[in-house]
Amino acid sequence: MVTNTNFEGLQKRNISEEQIIEQLLAFINGFPFLKIKNAASVGDGITRLTENQQVEILEKWDEFLQTDAKIVKFVPASGAASRMFKDLFDLLESETGNPIKDSQKEFFEKIEKFAFYDELNSVCNKNSEKNISTLLAGGQFKQIVENLLLADGMNYGSLPKGLLKFHTYVDGKRTAAQEHLVEGALYAANKLKKINIHFTVSNEHIPLFNKHLRENLPYFEQIYDSRFLVNFSTQKASTDTIAVDMHNQPFYEKGNLVFRPGGHGALIENLNEIDADVIFIKNIDNVVPDRLKQPTVKFKKIIGGKLLEIQNKCFSYLQLIDNKNFTDNKIDEIQRFLEKDLCIFSPNFEKMDKDAKIAYFEKKLNRPIRVCGMVRNEGEPGGGPFIAYNTDGTASPQILESSQIDTNNEKNVYMMHHSTYFNPVDLVCATKNYKGEKFDLKRFVDKNTGFISVKSKGGKELKALELPGLWNGAMSDWNTVFVEVPIETFNPVKTVNDLLRPQHL
């Protein structure tokens, strides 16, 4: 039951009672598992480009950069870095304060290798009146961690990942946000030398990002002789979801309904507001130093060029439909394109008459497009590429999380275990139709692909609802193409010790 007081809270968030009822029903009914046709692999859902094809597509992208097209680099960057330092927070809470876990020991043994070492050393000198070497020699590990993570020190435990120092250069240190600026300059600068970067951040972090970029943009604009146009958006309050107790009843705190952020799937709203010809999407923590950027830049251009290739074909076929310029040969050609290039399969196609086939083509072609880089699975976490069945009976490429797959089904388990690729969140998107009009991206979301997880608040367990993931169900009804990219393009920083990997030193 939603009281008047609670209803006022809904109004502030711009959430309707109908939405709340829909969310409560989701907790009660759960989400259906997706029916899988097969795990995607090279030649069966994933495209492996030959050297000659790569050269041709790179030329296509470089030609596109000589236009005044608007290219945007969209970087989800709202998460705090606290999870990076979980083991160090555990050390702070321990009685002895001594490193016990291997990860804790590695952190202190190699502490001088971190890009933030010099600043941390200065903070230790200021706050503890000892440098790091002296603190280590005295076994004062907690003081070092406090100076790194807490507000009286560097506050790394509360800052967003984008503002942490990741890499060391001869002329200074770079944060993850700065590395994204450089990436943008290397593959997303148009002929006007404009580089559009869009960070999604938390409200409280906007001033910090603004200050950081204001101090650093002039340097990068001079180095790359370009103009950076950086803007921000925050996750909308209207995408928050209601929390429930373990009996699926609304969870209250001090008489008020408890809401939680709807997960990265909520960012489809932010993406929907961007007016651009091409949008790259990449997580904030997946960056490398300049000496290793070449594979990333090359394959970002390749998936961009592949996007243009697919888009041109879709647009040309849609224009044929508009002009009613159809022959039987064209129908066969478009069907081959849908199956071979877009991996869309319809079991009923042969039963359709000509008008029904054309209507089917129009429905499938006139959609947003994404090209996703896929890497060989070498044990890293991430969603997997599959060919899955849609509600209309067709099958198409989808990026699925394990929670969307029925693991009681032996066939599904077999496919999961034999899936050889995963999604590193390496996407490029086209969100306009063949008339140059923006799609309403919310129309292409599969609402039946959310997630339910168990959390706690005030010592009590609650259930949280996450919206369909940004690159999962939120893009379910897009045209999707999977392209193989090398593992060198995937270098995430999930824990602080990941910065000790060779790719980040």
Side-chain angles (χ1 to χ4, degrees), residues 288 292 295-296 375 485-491 503:
V288 290
L292 297 177
T296 292
V375 299
V485 298
I487 191 67
E488 289 84 359
T489 63
F490 183 61
N491 300 281
Q503 300 94 312

Side-chain angles (χ1 to χ4, degrees), residues 283 374-375 377-386 399-405 416 419 421-425 471-472 490 492 494:
N283 279 339
M374 291 292 158
V375 299
N377 196 333
E378 296 185 358
E380 296 282 0
F386 289 84
I399 298 169
L400 305 185
E401 302 296 336
S402 57
S403 60
Q404 296 177 274
I405 300 172
M416 286 177 65
S419 176
Y421 286 81
F422 77 98
N423 164 47
V425 188
W471 39 84
N472 309 114
F490 183 61
K494 301 305 179 187

Side-chain angles (χ1 to χ4, degrees), residues 38 114 146 153 157 160 170 175 225 289 291 307 320 368 424 501:
N38 57 271
F114 290 107
E146 287 170 351
V170 173
T175 62
D225 187 26
R291 64 185 176 83
L307 178 81
L320 281 178
R501 292 183 179 187

Side-chain angles (χ1 to χ4, degrees), residues 164-176:
L164 306 190
K165 291 177 179 174
F166 269 33
H167 302 138
T168 298
Y169 292 85
V170 173
D171 58 350
K173 319 291 184 180
R174 270 192 215 159
T175 62

Side-chain angles (χ1 to χ4, degrees), residues 231-245:
N231 53 49
F232 307 97
S233 65
T234 60
Q235 192 165 307
K236 298 178 185 297
S238 60
T239 64
D240 289 350
T241 57
I242 192 171
V244 300
D245 61 24

